[in-house]
Amino acid sequence: MTHQTDLRGGGALSLPAAPVLDNAVWAALDGPHAHLAERVGRAARYQPDIYAYAALADPADPAAWADLHTLVGPGTTVRIKPVDQVPDGWEVIGGGEGVQLVDTALRAEPAPESVRLGPADVPEILDLVARTRPGPFLKRTVEMGTYLGIRHEGRLIALAGERLRLPGWTEISAVCTDPEHRGRGLATRLVRAVAAGIRERGDTPFLHAAADNTPAIRLYESIGFTLRRRSRILQLRSPGQLHGSGTSGATRAF
């Protein structure tokens, strides 16, 4: 099955309609990940040591932005997606563009050599993520879903797992391989294995990548993912005087 993947328009592509994916962070925080959320009305965010993103029920709703301001406080840095415009008083301090891909032809299968990772493995995970930079991973990100790894001589050398979970869909994230062990298909095997677990519970895999990460996008397309949409990711500072440290600096996190 062939799908059009022209990203120039910035909107949904010629794929089956899945509106829940258009505001995936909100759908997760308002649904399966509600237990990981901090929320005020129509605004929510992940607990700061889990995932550094907030979301609005409707980014065009001024009341949702007011709720977000109440939630995070004045002068606080927050990452949010997807957002096209921000109200007066909110300062854009960084951001970028990301693409969303969905599973349309992925061969999902277990990876017998993989091991399930948990809280005790977080120091090793953080070390691998720091060296490979697949995207944000914090001390409690592992609580968002199942994470699988491959070890060589006891050392963690490859990783993939679940991040956003929303009704009917689960995001595959933190896909990375130690530079010394690339070219062996380890990441692909882990993506297939994570996808197998997602499908077993009746969900469909999807993922995000930076829009300019052409090699990753081509890899995901080659194993059965299809580009669905692109969206803006913003790092903002809330109106008012500085309140707390927040998270500073520009970001390329997807």
Side-chain angles (χ1 to χ4, degrees), residues 25 51-53 79-81 94-99 133-138 163 171 173 208-212 231-235 247 249-254:
V25 179
Y51 185 42
Y53 273 89
R79 292 172 181 165
I80 190 165
K81 59 181 178 182
E97 281 192 298
V99 295
R133 303 178 64 84
F137 199 102
L138 304 174
R163 189 166 62 185
E171 180 191 21
S173 182
H208 291 104
D212 60 357
S231 61
R232 236 178 132 198
I233 293 89
L234 294 180
Q235 188 170 19
T247 303
T251 179
R252 230 180 133 262
F254 298 89

Side-chain angles (χ1 to χ4, degrees), residues 88-143:
D88 290 342
W90 289 82
E91 180 186 359
V92 177
I93 58 175
E97 281 192 298
V99 295
Q100 184 183 78
L101 302 95
V102 296
D103 166 20
T104 54
L106 178 67
R107 188 180 80 248
E109 59 189 8
E113 73 274 40
S114 68
V115 295
R116 183 161 182 169
L117 304 173
D121 302 295
V122 167
E124 272 193 290
I125 294 173
L126 293 175
D127 178 67
L128 180 60
V129 166
R131 288 185 286 111
T132 57
R133 303 178 64 84
F137 199 102
L138 304 174
K139 291 181 179 179
R140 294 178 56 209
T141 302
V142 73
E143 297 177 24

Side-chain angles (χ1 to χ4, degrees), residues 86-218:
V86 300
D88 290 342
W90 289 82
E91 180 186 359
V92 177
I93 58 175
E97 281 192 298
V99 295
Q100 184 183 78
L101 302 95
V102 296
D103 166 20
T104 54
L106 178 67
R107 188 180 80 248
E109 59 189 8
E113 73 274 40
S114 68
V115 295
R116 183 161 182 169
L117 304 173
D121 302 295
V122 167
E124 272 193 290
I125 294 173
L126 293 175
D127 178 67
L128 180 60
V129 166
R131 288 185 286 111
T132 57
R133 303 178 64 84
F137 199 102
L138 304 174
K139 291 181 179 179
R140 294 178 56 209
T141 302
V142 73
E143 297 177 24
M144 298 180 77
T146 299
Y147 281 84
L148 300 178
I150 293 176
R151 295 183 180 278
H152 175 71
E153 297 179 349
R155 182 168 176 258
L156 185 66
I157 61 169
L159 169 71
E162 301 172 357
R163 189 166 62 185
L164 298 179
R165 185 175 176 189
L166 37 148
W169 299 83
T170 300
E171 180 191 21
I172 297 177
S173 182
V175 181
C176 58
T177 303
D178 186 293
E180 295 181 3
H181 296 272
R182 289 175 181 166
R184 298 166 50 191
L186 301 181
T188 297
R189 295 209 292 274
L190 287 175
V191 168
R192 296 189 193 281
V194 173
I198 291 170
R199 286 188 184 169
E200 281 179 4
R201 62 170 180 262
D203 284 0
T204 301
F206 73 106
L207 49 79
H208 291 104
D212 60 357
N213 191 350
T214 304
I217 294 170
R218 286 176 177 168

Side-chain angles (χ1 to χ4, degrees), residues 59-78:
D61 180 7
W65 284 96
D67 287 340
L68 181 62
H69 190 255
T70 300
L71 174 63
V72 304
T76 301
T77 302
V78 60

